Amino acid sequence: CLGFLFPGAPGPTQLLTAAVAPCRCLHALKVGWKVCWAKAASEEEQNRMAFLSHDISMLRLFETFLENTPQLTLLLYVILRTNKAEPSQGLGICTAFLCVTWSLLDYHQSLRSFLQDKYELSLGSSAVYFLWNLSLTCPRILVVALFALLWPYGVAVHFLLVWLAMFLWVSLQGTDFMESPGPEQLYRAIVAVILYFSWFNVAPGRTLYRSIIYHGFILVDSTLLALSWLLCRSPSDEHLYLIPVVSAALPCYLLGLLLRVSYYKWLHPSARSHGTKQGSHCCTGGEPRCSGQRPVHCECTVVSTSLIIYY
C-alpha cells in the first residue's frame, strides 16, 4: 500500500506487474491466436488458454487492491480535504470505482472459466454480481476517506488493526496455497489487504458463515467510522453536503447485501443448473495435471506469481 502514502511512487505490485504481466499477456495472446486459428483446438490448448487468462486476471486483482484502491481512497480524501474537484477528477473517481468492481467480476468469471466443473456466469448473473460488489465497495471506500479527514494518521492505525484481524482470520482458515511457509504468509498478507476493502474467499467449502462473519464485521466497522465523522466533525465544517451521502452509505451497503443474497439464491449458476459437469480444467505444460473427476483441491501452478493455488 505504498501508493496510499506515496502516490507518485511505484508500489511493489506495480513493479511486479510491470515486469511480469507484459510477458504473460503476450504469451496468452500467442496461445489465444493459435487456438482461434486452429481448425480443431485440442482440449489441452483450451485448458492452457483458460489457465493463462485466470493467471492474468489474478495479477490484475492484486494490483487493483494493493495499489489502485488505496490510491482511489487517497484521491477521494484529497478532494474532500481541499473541497475542490475538477470535472475530470469526478469522472476519474467514478471510473475508478467501476474498474475496482470490474476487477472482482473479471476474476470471478475467469475462475469459473478455469474450473471446468463450475458453471459460467450468465449475463444477468454477471450484472447482479457487479452491482452488489459495487454497492458494497463504494460505501467502504467513502467512510475510510471520511475518517481520514478527521484523523489522517488514525486511518493508518485503523488499517493496521483491521489488516491484522483479517490476517489472523485468513490464517485460522488454514490456507495452504504456497510451497513454503514464508510465501504463504505473504499470500495471507495480500489477501488481508483485499479483505480490508472487499470480500475475497480463500478457503474451500460453503462460504455462508464466513460471509456472515465478514460482512457483519465490516458493517459494524464502517458504521463506526461514519459515526465518528458525523459526531466529531466541526460545527462549521464545510462538508455539510456529505451528510446525505453518508446517510445513504448504510442503505447502499444493505442493498448490496440484499443483491448478494438474491444472487446466491436465484442467479448463482449452481442454483440455476440441474445437471453436473464432469472433468476439470487441468494445467498443461510444466504444471501438475488433474485428471478425471475434480478432487477437493486442484493444484495448479501460477507461474507468474510463484503461487500454488488450490481450488
Side-chain angles (χ1 to χ4, degrees):
C1 295
L2 292 178
F4 185 81
L5 300 177
F6 307 100
T13 308
Q14 182 179 9
L15 297 177
L16 173 64
T17 306
V20 174
C23 297
R24 300 295 289 173
C25 289
L26 289 175
H27 185 52
L29 287 174
K30 179 181 178 181
V31 176
W33 182 268
K34 180 180 178 182
V35 171
C36 288
W37 285 96
K39 293 183 178 179
S42 65
E43 182 179 356
E44 181 176 338
E45 291 174 332
Q46 294 177 358
N47 293 341
R48 180 63 176 172
M49 189 64 233
F51 164 72
L52 291 174
S53 176
H54 176 67
D55 187 17
I56 295 171
S57 180
M58 177 178 293
L59 280 175
R60 189 182 301 113
L61 183 71
F62 286 172
E63 180 186 15
T64 296
F65 283 97
L66 292 181
E67 182 179 359
N68 298 340
T69 306
Q71 288 187 353
L72 170 60
T73 308
L74 178 61
L75 176 60
L76 190 59
Y77 160 79
V78 171
I79 291 177
L80 294 176
R81 170 66 68 181
T82 60
N83 212 21
K84 296 178 181 179
E86 299 293 334
S88 58
Q89 290 178 318
L91 179 61
I93 288 178
C94 294
T95 304
F97 275 117
L98 295 177
C99 290
V100 169
T101 311
W102 182 264
S103 69
L104 291 167
L105 174 62
D106 178 70
Y107 174 80
H108 191 66
Q109 287 178 329
S110 68
L111 176 62
R112 287 195 158 271
S113 177
F114 175 64
L115 299 176
Q116 196 175 20
D117 69 325
K118 299 292 185 181
Y119 295 94
E120 296 187 8
L121 295 179
S122 65
L123 182 60
S125 299
S126 298
V128 175
Y129 189 92
F130 180 88
L131 289 176
W132 69 254
N133 275 287
L134 182 65
S135 300
L136 295 180
T137 305
C138 290
R140 178 62 177 176
I141 296 177
L142 174 63
V143 296
V144 171
L146 288 176
F147 185 77
L149 279 177
L150 296 180
W151 299 284
Y153 297 101
V155 72
V157 177
H158 174 266
F159 170 79
L160 290 176
L161 292 176
V162 176
W163 175 85
L164 180 60
M166 295 300 174
F167 180 81
L168 294 175
W169 189 50
V170 172
S171 301
L172 289 175
Q173 295 183 49
T175 61
D176 187 18
F177 295 163
M178 306 297 289
E179 293 179 305
S180 56
E184 179 66 26
Q185 299 304 316
L186 176 61
Y187 175 80
R188 293 174 179 177
I190 293 174
V191 171
V193 175
I194 298 176
L195 288 171
Y196 181 82
F197 296 101
S198 177
W199 163 260
F200 188 72
N201 186 38
V202 295
R206 291 178 58 85
T207 61
L208 176 61
Y209 297 110
R210 293 196 298 268
S211 180
I212 292 175
I213 293 173
Y214 171 79
H215 286 295
F217 177 87
I218 293 297
L219 181 60
V220 171
D221 180 70
S222 298
T223 301
L224 291 176
L225 293 181
L227 288 177
S228 298
W229 179 81
L230 287 171
L231 298 177
C232 299
R233 65 184 182 84
S234 173
S236 59
D237 198 336
E238 299 178 353
H239 300 95
L240 294 177
Y241 63 91
L242 288 176
I243 295 180
V245 178
V246 176
S247 301
L250 178 59
C252 181
Y253 196 90
L254 295 178
L255 174 62
L257 293 178
L258 180 61
L259 287 174
R260 180 172 184 179
V261 171
S262 302
Y263 167 82
Y264 280 103
K265 187 172 182 61
W266 293 294
L267 296 174
H268 191 272
S270 299
R272 296 183 297 104
S273 304
H274 301 285
T276 57
K277 298 171 68 176
Q278 300 296 325
S280 82
H281 273 297
C282 305
C283 301
T284 58
E287 288 76 28
R289 181 184 301 269
C290 306
S291 58
Q293 182 66 27
R294 175 179 173 270
V296 176
H297 299 293
C298 176
E299 181 178 73
C300 304
T301 305
V302 182
V303 179
S304 67
T305 54
S306 301
L307 295 176
I308 303 296
I309 304 299
Y310 298 87
Y311 299 107

